Every structure is written in C-alpha cells, then in structure tokens.
Amino acid sequence: LLFLWSITVSIFGIGGLLGSSGSRYLTVKFGKKKCLLCNNVLMIVAASLMGCSKISQSFEMILIGRFMCGVSAGLCVPLHHQYVGEISPRKLRGFANSTSSFFWSLGKAIGQISGQRELLGSQSLWPMLMASCGLPALVQLLTLPFFPESPPYLLMHKEDQEGCKKAIRQLWGEGQHQAEIDDIMKEKATMKNTKILSVLELVKEPAFRWQLYMIVILTATIQLCGINAV
C-alpha cells in the first residue's frame, strides 16, 4: 500500500516532466491555442477517470488520471505563460504574466481548503475532490474558442501577416499596431540567427553554468520555504 501510495503521488511529477519536455515541439507545430484546447480535453478525461475510480473500484484509474493530470500541468505552465504574454498589449504584458503566479497559488490554496474532511475530503466525497480539476479545464475549453491564435505565432511560424493583424485588432481593438508587428518581425529575424539549445546542450554549455546553478538553487529553496503550508 505504501508503494502504491508513493507511485500515485510521484507519478504526477513524472507526467509533468514529460508534458513540459514536449511543449516546445507541440506549440511550434500546432500553435498555442490549439495546444491549450487539447490540453483541456486531456485534463477533463483525467478528472473523469479519477472521479469514476471509486464507482469502478479501480485504483489503476487514479494512477492513470494522476499521470494524465501531470502531463496536462506540464504542458499548461509554459503554454499559459507564453499565450497570455503574447496576446497582451505591451503595456500590460508584465501584469498579465504576473497573474499566472497569483492564480497558481490561489488554486493551491483552494485545493488545500477543499481537501479538508469537513468539505470534499470525506470518505464519500473524495472522488468529487479528485474530479474537481476538470472544472477549470471545462471553463477554458468553452471560452478559449472565442479568442484568436497568438499573433506572434501567426506571423513567425505561419507567416500569415493578415491573420496576425486580424488577431491583433480582435485582441487590442482598432488602431495603429504597426510598432507591435515590427517588434515581432525583429524577434523573428533574431531567432533565425540564434541556435536553439536542447536541455542536454544547455546543461553542457559552460556559458550558462552559473545561471543554471542559480535557477536550480532558487527552485529548490522555494520548495523548502513553507509556501504550501502558508
């Protein structure tokens, strides 16, 4: 039982590692909006599996659901930051990206509170608690189709200048947005002359060694500062 419990807890992180590793390839090939929509479907399927596990008397469904949740979360974190940043006007970009951290922490807090025995953490209601992760995914699945694809993706990867202008007008309203389009074109030109490193190449590259050490130390200490308890 202890072994199964350990796997159930840790398999989320394994799924997250796989999801985040494949996020770059998927976003370049399919676009951020399509990836987010498919990611929501994945989360809803995972929530359904975990919610029905008690009726089916199958702990394997919880394992599969947790793994799929991890893959979905691993995909969602970089996708969400990129999409929100790219569809926001320049003046609000920093603010829009900072909201991700706020809602991430708020979601953790709601999960901790909902998991109390007096609420959804009881013996009869825990399947609802495990299936509750599908609710935000369902909301996004219903609302995201009304949003356009990311303008930088349309211009840089699809080379669809008219589609990019249409998306910008839909997001930011009518007006002169040539400066933003010029910025995207400059970024595209810069990327052509920049080599994209793989994770292994990044680890081996001496020029980034100290930056990598700092990121690892900061990430590790965040987990030890008691944020989850708070």
Side-chain angles (χ1 to χ4, degrees):
L1 286 175
L2 181 62
F3 178 69
L4 286 174
W5 174 257
S6 302
I7 292 176
T8 303
V9 172
S10 60
I11 203 167
F12 178 89
I14 296 169
L17 180 63
L18 292 174
S20 59
S21 300
S23 62
R24 181 181 173 272
Y25 169 78
L26 292 172
T27 52
V28 171
K29 187 170 180 62
F30 301 108
K32 297 172 181 65
K33 180 183 171 181
K34 287 181 181 177
C35 286
L36 282 170
L37 286 170
C38 294
N39 193 48
N40 291 324
V41 175
L42 182 66
M43 181 63 85
I44 290 168
V45 172
S48 302
L49 283 171
M50 292 189 292
C52 297
S53 59
K54 187 177 182 182
I55 298 172
S56 305
Q57 296 183 345
S58 170
F59 70 88
E60 293 90 351
M61 291 174 69
I62 299 177
L63 280 171
I64 296 169
R66 285 274 298 171
F67 177 74
M68 291 173 68
C69 268
V71 173
S72 178
L75 281 168
C76 182
V77 172
L79 275 174
H80 179 80
H81 279 282
Q82 291 171 21
Y83 185 69
V84 169
E86 289 177 3
I87 67 172
S88 303
R90 191 189 304 174
K91 291 180 180 179
L92 297 175
R93 199 162 293 162
F95 171 75
N97 277 324
S98 66
T99 58
S100 303
S101 302
F102 170 76
F103 284 111
W104 191 263
S105 302
L106 182 63
K108 281 188 175 183
I110 293 172
Q112 294 277 357
I113 294 166
S114 302
Q116 299 300 310
R117 291 172 187 257
E118 294 80 7
L119 297 174
L120 296 178
S122 63
Q123 190 171 353
S124 58
L125 295 177
W126 67 260
M128 291 181 62
L129 176 66
M130 299 199 76
S132 62
C133 60
L135 185 60
L138 181 62
V139 171
Q140 191 177 70
L141 186 64
L142 295 174
T143 56
L144 194 59
F146 297 100
F147 286 78
E149 181 55 87
S150 159
Y153 173 78
L154 291 171
L155 190 58
M156 293 169 64
H157 298 286
K158 291 294 184 181
E159 298 184 352
D160 183 4
Q161 192 161 351
E162 287 303 316
C164 174
K165 289 179 180 178
K166 184 180 177 181
I168 286 174
R169 284 195 297 269
Q170 185 179 342
L171 289 165
W172 306 338
E174 297 294 335
Q176 293 296 324
H177 302 295
Q178 190 58 42
E180 285 81 0
I181 295 172
D182 291 340
D183 284 344
I184 298 171
M185 294 300 293
K186 287 178 185 176
E187 186 180 349
K188 182 181 179 180
T190 305
M191 285 182 67
K192 281 185 178 179
N193 301 321
T194 305
K195 183 187 175 184
I196 304 298
L197 299 178
S198 67
V199 176
L200 190 61
E201 287 173 334
L202 178 65
V203 172
K204 291 180 177 179
E205 179 60 49
F208 301 118
R209 193 66 48 80
W210 281 105
Q211 292 93 322
L212 200 61
Y213 289 156
M214 289 172 65
I215 290 170
V216 170
I217 291 169
L218 281 171
T219 307
T221 50
I222 284 170
Q223 302 303 319
L224 300 173
C225 72
I227 186 67
N228 291 330
V230 171

